[in-house]
Amino acid sequence: MRPNHFLILALLFSSFSLLVLKVHGDPPHILLIVLDDLGWSDVKFHGSKINTPNRDKLASEGVILDNYYVQPICSPTRGALLSGMYPIHTGLQNGVIRSTEPYGLPLNITILPQKLKEAGYSTHMIGKWHLGFCSWSYTPRYRGFDSFYGIYLGAGDHYTHETARILDLHDNETPVENKDGVYSTYLYAEQAQKVILSHNASTPLFLYLPFQSVHSPLQVPTEYTEKYENITDDDRRIYAGMVENVDEAIGNITEAMKTAGLWDNTLLIVTTDNGGASDEGGYNWPLRGEKGSLWEGGVRGVGFVHGKMLQRTGVTCKELFHVTDWYPTLLHLAGIEEDSDSSALDGFNIWPAISEGVPSERTEILHNIDGNSAAIRVGDMKLLLNVKNQEWYEPPELSSGARKTKKKSGRKIRAALYNITADPNESQDLRRTYPDVVRTLRRRIRYYRRGEVPSGKQSSDPEARKLARKNGYWGPWID
């Protein structure tokens, strides 16, 4: 190309705030699966004895993420995934969005499906939203999804699809009232297969599939629990059945992708939203802590990537990643390179690190700041401030008998420092050994505090439940 042609192209692109660069080949189809409350111990590649042949095969053929972090609880992780921003920058730093709270992921944030639509993607969501529904503008169909089938709230009965005895199952804006008795995982897998088999392969597909499983209530068809009679703990036995059941659903969905001719150009991402909850069957052994905590058991996430576009496969990646990184990474793969608003992102494009094994651009992670409580990791070192003490929870079926399962402690720890690379189980507090590191990490937390936005947390609005009871289903109540 002659120099004057380069000049013409440069002038054309200068009028756009968004520069679109095509990745080699067609943009991939993206299948993004979130498993709710899946514990670190509950996958085969971390030692689990639960039967998960589909995930085992997919993970072994792809890239397992060994140093990957999420948020400690549902709404903050989902908001971070779809926005590329830490919860302190979206107002979601103070827990989950409750059913009667009139707020959500801020509307001034352009989220992942909206950006993917700009690149020509067909966008669909099936499963659990949990990012606000007080008005229609907060719901999935108004946030970039061409279709939505699932629940607005954070949990519900897997068979009746009710929360607080009120229906929470929707097909776009219409309540679904004829699926009582159909198990949620079956229902979502069936809907996913419908979307996949009816999709035109010439258009890139983004299918966001945040399963309701394996979140409580602990429910699963009995043929799955019967396989785990060796597990004496009732909750753990049902939970194990749920883990196997959702694995079967993943297998059915990937088979549908193959049948539809989509699989060879599909990037599959499987991630948890937080660590497992020990009193609901999930375990994170040998990591310390659980769901809701800033200990590794709450924030170190199970995750892997699969796809023929990976330049290396069958490997475990130990580079540092965070859930906010999916946003810029997937936009990069879709052919979108930000030249505006990118400064607001907390995520990095981690595709070269995953696919090629080069060092990750990420060197630190703010786990969260919530009032006086905070945690940050910089390089190998992690500092926790004003957190409740949590210990270790060993799955009974993995127990050697040499160590008893420990329970939570309400005692607060004012400060603790760990070398996570050398001590991922957070057993040796180094704060007295390395006071200079403690001071450095405290300064980083103060830096993030200066950029923190006010929490979006709102008081409960009685109109939400009143209208839901009147209508017979949960839905927007402000407009």
Side-chain angles (χ1 to χ4, degrees):
M1 183 177 288
R2 293 193 297 270
N4 61 323
H5 288 171
F6 279 113
L7 178 60
I8 292 168
L9 286 174
L11 290 172
L12 287 171
F13 279 117
S14 67
S15 64
F16 290 86
S17 62
L18 188 67
L19 177 60
V20 178
L21 299 173
K22 289 297 179 185
V23 183
H24 294 297
D26 296 328
H29 306 295
I30 300 168
L31 176 56
L32 176 51
I33 295 176
V34 179
L35 300 176
D36 203 342
D37 290 6
L38 181 70
W40 181 263
S41 305
D42 301 330
V43 290
K44 277 285 179 67
F45 50 86
H46 291 158
S48 174
K49 295 185 178 180
I50 301 172
N51 186 37
T52 53
N54 296 298
R55 264 172 291 170
D56 299 341
K57 184 174 187 296
L58 292 165
S60 68
E61 294 173 346
V63 177
I64 295 170
L65 307 180
D66 189 58
N67 210 359
Y68 165 60
Y69 288 85
V70 292
Q71 295 304 123
I73 202 162
C74 303
S75 297
T77 290
R78 292 157 202 274
L81 186 156
L82 294 180
S83 71
M85 300 167 69
Y86 286 141
I88 65 159
H89 296 145
T90 63
L92 298 182
Q93 63 269 55
N94 297 138
V96 300
I97 300 172
R98 303 292 180 183
S99 59
T100 57
E101 292 177 336
Y103 78 109
L105 183 63
L107 300 177
N108 63 340
I109 296 173
T110 302
I111 65 172
L112 183 60
Q114 293 169 313
K115 300 298 291 185
L116 289 174
K117 282 184 69 64
E118 293 180 10
Y121 274 74
S122 176
T123 59
H124 302 273
M125 176 183 168
I126 299 166
K128 168 179 163 178
W129 177 235
H130 209 189
L131 286 173
F133 67 98
C134 58
S135 68
W136 286 115
S137 56
Y138 284 98
T139 61
R141 286 279 284 117
Y142 296 80
R143 304 302 300 265
F145 287 105
D146 294 327
S147 73
F148 165 66
Y149 191 102
I151 65 173
Y152 290 141
L153 279 70
D157 190 286
H158 291 276
Y159 288 100
T160 66
H161 316 295
E162 293 179 343
T163 299
R165 298 186 180 181
I166 301 171
L167 180 69
D168 180 28
L169 183 62
H170 312 268
D171 184 353
N172 295 320
E173 289 84 30
T174 304
V176 178
E177 301 177 303
N178 62 346
K179 297 299 181 181
D180 187 7
V182 182
Y183 188 64
S184 69
T185 304
Y186 291 151
L187 186 58
Y188 297 152
E190 178 185 354
Q191 292 298 319
Q193 290 171 81
K194 287 180 181 177
V195 168
I196 292 165
L197 295 174
S198 64
H199 181 72
N200 184 337
S202 65
T203 300
L205 170 68
F206 173 53
L207 178 54
Y208 175 49
L209 185 50
F211 278 103
Q212 193 177 337
S213 198
V214 290
H215 195 292
S216 62
L218 296 174
Q219 299 170 313
V220 75
T222 55
E223 62 261 33
Y224 294 93
T225 58
E226 288 169 353
K227 300 178 182 183
Y228 296 98
E229 291 181 353
N230 63 305
I231 298 178
T232 57
D233 181 88
D234 290 342
D235 288 346
R236 180 66 178 172
R237 185 168 59 254
I238 298 171
Y239 177 92
M242 295 174 76
V243 171
E244 180 171 340
N245 171 267
V246 78
D247 182 78
E248 182 181 292
I250 291 172
N252 292 337
I253 290 164
T254 56
E255 283 301 314
M257 297 290 284
K258 294 173 185 177
T259 300
L262 307 177
W263 185 243
D264 285 349
N265 191 34
T266 291
L267 177 70
L268 167 68
I269 299 166
V270 176
T271 175
T272 185
D273 63 343
N274 45 250
S278 65
D279 56 355
E280 294 172 351
Y283 289 82
N284 307 297
W285 177 265
L287 302 182
R288 184 174 184 172
E290 62 176 331
K291 172 183 177 179
S293 80
L294 293 172
W295 299 99
E296 291 291 285
V299 296
R300 195 159 186 167
V302 174
F304 68 84
V305 178
H306 180 284
K308 293 188 177 180
M309 63 288 300
L310 290 163
Q311 294 188 30
R312 59 178 193 144
T313 58
V315 297
T316 296
C317 181
K318 296 187 178 295
E319 293 298 314
L320 191 62
F321 301 140
H322 185 254
V323 66
T324 54
D325 297 331
W326 293 122
Y327 182 98
T329 300
L330 294 180
L331 294 190
H332 164 75
L333 290 172
I336 300 176
E337 299 292 342
E338 296 280 357
D339 70 355
S340 64
D341 300 327
S342 59
S343 61
L345 296 182
D346 296 302
F348 294 86
N349 171 19
I350 57 172
W351 183 248
I354 293 174
S355 180
E356 303 167 36
V358 302
S360 171
E361 287 188 49
R362 180 176 288 284
T363 58
E364 71 179 34
I365 292 173
L366 177 71
H367 291 303
N368 199 30
I369 298 172
D370 183 359
N372 291 326
S373 176
I376 192 170
R377 177 172 171 180
V378 178
D380 298 326
M381 307 303 288
K382 176 181 175 183
L383 177 69
L384 299 101
L385 299 177
N386 300 305
V387 298
K388 287 185 179 179
N389 183 32
Q390 291 196 351
E391 299 188 357
W392 296 265
Y393 309 85
E394 188 169 6
E397 71 273 18
L398 296 181
S399 175
S400 62
R403 183 172 194 163
K404 293 182 180 180
T405 298
K406 295 184 177 182
K407 297 298 182 184
K408 288 182 270 191
S409 167
R411 180 174 62 88
K412 272 209 170 183
I413 293 177
R414 292 184 61 187
L417 180 73
Y418 299 94
N419 183 324
I420 297 300
T421 302
D423 177 26
N425 305 335
E426 296 171 302
S427 59
Q428 185 178 3
D429 184 358
L430 302 174
R431 74 186 185 281
R432 299 188 192 282
T433 307
Y434 300 111
D436 55 331
V437 176
V438 172
R439 286 191 292 270
T440 297
L441 270 59
R442 281 183 180 273
R443 283 197 296 270
R444 290 304 294 162
I445 290 175
R446 287 197 294 271
Y447 162 80
Y448 281 110
R449 281 192 186 278
R450 290 195 293 270
E452 182 179 7
V453 303
S455 170
K457 201 72 174 168
Q458 299 287 320
S459 300
S460 177
D461 183 350
E463 291 301 315
R465 190 179 303 273
K466 186 185 300 183
L467 185 61
R469 285 175 174 165
K470 176 183 176 182
N471 291 337
Y473 58 86
W474 291 101
W477 67 92
I478 291 177
D479 49 21

